[in-house]
Amino acid sequence: MSEKMIEFRHVKKAYGDSVIIPDLSFSVEKGDFVTMIGSSGCGKTTTLKMVNALIEPTAGDIFVEGTNIRERDPVQLRRSIGYAIQGSVLFPNMTVEQNIAYVPNLLHKKDRNRTAQAVDKWMKIVGLDPALKERYPNELSGGQQQRVGIARALAASPQILLMDEPFGAVDEITRSSLQDEIMRIHRETHITVLFVTHDIQEALKLATKVFIMDHGEIQQYDTPVHILRHPANEFVEKLVRRERHTCFLSEDRVGGCEFSGAACGLRLPEGDAAR
Ligand SMILES: Nc1ncnc2c1ncn2[C@@H]1O[C@H](COP(=O)(O)OP(=O)(O)OP(=O)(O)O)[C@@H](O)[C@H]1O
Ligand SMILES: [Mg+2]
């Protein structure tokens, strides 16, 4: 049975008279990789920050792993959820090792060994040379800083990972390798991911489901293949037009989505490749 890891029920967010999110209801199932995309200022970051209680909703309820987050201690909630954002938000006066060990140290105060193991494991998984452990953030490249940020978000083995344009500030090659790594991490750990991006190709490549937002409202929330095949409205159609063209062209040629899926780097749902 599917399990809801995140659920919004009639969530509203307003700043004074300005309503950012009028009435948002959706859920993210365990093991989903949801990418959120939409115009600038439409409320993506606001939505993400409401999940880990960095922003409080004006009305409505948010459930994380079945519990209303109003009933949870916000600090504890935040420590239990991985959070990675664009650019370097590393502690500048801590080494790479200390940055990654930060949350595990808070959670397992006495078990230094366990923390050291977690640091080694995650540095390896995100593709960081162990020789970088003693470096400070300002002695790293942008891509390396981004990897440390991801390792830090994952080091406490959270069940949920929130990422807000985490690959926004890196070059194309680094971006592509970070995308591959996050997909591998997702496959291997079955972690539930909510990932904000501006890049439709990235959104379609990474997601099991894409959440398309405009003016704080869901425009479409579905699998990448379904969104490409059946855009729900003009907003979605415009957003995916170019990708759709590429995918459908090859789909028509091979009479299935297997080839087009591979061409777009899409993850195909079970059974879809054979159709
Ligand atoms: N503290 C605040 N007070 C008033 N308005 C705010 C505040 N924080 C955010 N907003 C407004 O809320 C809206 C949504 O902001 P949000 O950061 O969620 O957008 P976004 O979808 O993440 O945009 P982007 O793609 O540019 O990051 C914006 O119009 C923003 O100006
Ligand atoms: Mg944002």
Side-chain angles (χ1 to χ4, degrees):
M1 217 190 66
S2 59
E3 188 184 330
K4 287 177 183 165
M5 292 300 278
I6 301 169
E7 186 182 7
F8 278 48
R9 288 193 202 156
H10 299 292
V11 170
K12 175 181 173 182
K13 180 65 193 176
Y15 292 104
D17 290 341
S18 164
V19 178
I20 308 300
I21 294 171
D23 180 6
L24 184 62
S25 298
F26 75 101
S27 59
V28 179
E29 309 278 327
K30 190 175 176 61
D32 264 345
F33 195 128
V34 173
T35 55
M36 283 184 93
I37 187 160
S39 344
S40 182
C42 75
K44 303 179 295 295
T45 296
T46 306
T47 302
L48 213 64
K49 284 185 169 176
M50 288 196 287
V51 176
N52 62 2
L54 286 169
I55 292 179
E56 199 188 341
T58 309
D61 291 293
I62 299 167
F63 298 80
V64 168
E65 295 185 72
T67 306
N68 192 323
I69 62 171
R70 290 184 203 280
E71 289 158 21
R72 291 197 54 182
D73 170 40
V75 174
Q76 238 184 20
L77 176 77
R78 249 165 257 150
R79 281 182 195 159
S80 76
I81 296 176
Y83 185 50
I85 63 175
Q86 179 172 350
S88 177
V89 284
L90 303 174
F91 302 118
N93 54 345
M94 290 187 193
T95 63
V96 166
E97 182 174 23
Q98 289 165 340
N99 264 282
I100 300 173
Y102 186 74
V103 176
N105 271 336
L106 291 172
L107 293 175
H108 333 285
K109 279 193 183 71
K110 296 195 183 74
D111 201 343
R112 296 270 157 193
N113 208 12
R114 182 169 168 183
T115 300
Q117 278 172 5
V119 171
D120 289 345
K121 176 179 129 183
W122 286 107
M123 283 188 73
K124 194 166 173 217
I125 291 176
V126 302
L128 280 169
D129 186 339
L132 299 175
K133 259 192 210 173
E134 302 306 321
R135 295 255 190 107
Y136 286 87
N138 68 357
E139 300 166 337
L140 301 173
S141 75
Q144 288 167 339
Q145 290 180 27
Q146 215 66 71
R147 285 169 210 263
V148 177
I150 295 165
R152 191 178 62 173
L154 289 164
S157 301
Q159 295 293 303
I160 297 173
L161 176 62
L162 306 176
M163 305 182 93
D164 198 344
E165 305 195 41
F167 310 149
V170 295
D171 64 88
E172 272 310 309
I173 297 170
T174 308
R175 188 183 179 90
S176 161
S177 98
L178 285 169
Q179 286 171 348
D180 293 342
E181 267 146 30
I182 199 69
M183 282 175 81
R184 187 166 48 78
I185 291 165
H186 174 248
R187 260 198 312 274
E188 285 169 11
T189 62
H190 304 290
I191 191 170
T192 306
V193 185
L194 188 51
F195 183 111
V196 173
T197 176
H198 263 115
D199 177 347
I200 184 66
Q201 279 185 356
E202 178 168 87
L204 292 166
K205 172 180 172 182
L206 299 180
T208 59
K209 279 179 93 176
V210 184
F211 183 125
I212 301 175
M213 187 185 247
D214 196 30
H215 295 108
E217 291 176 350
I218 300 178
Q219 302 302 310
Q220 194 164 4
Y221 183 35
D222 212 330
T223 62
V225 171
H226 205 262
I227 283 175
L228 285 167
R229 283 188 183 154
H230 311 288
N233 56 33
E234 211 186 318
F235 183 85
V236 178
E237 149 69 26
K238 271 195 182 140
L239 187 69
V240 303
R241 189 172 288 157
R242 208 161 51 98
E243 316 313 316
R244 200 175 169 215
H245 184 67
T246 322
C247 289
F248 272 49
L249 196 71
S250 39
E251 184 187 36
D252 285 342
R253 271 216 302 266
V254 298
C257 211
E258 194 174 16
F259 178 66
S260 66
C264 303
L266 287 183
R267 297 201 211 192
L268 296 170
E270 299 272 327
D272 213 83
R275 218 178 284 160

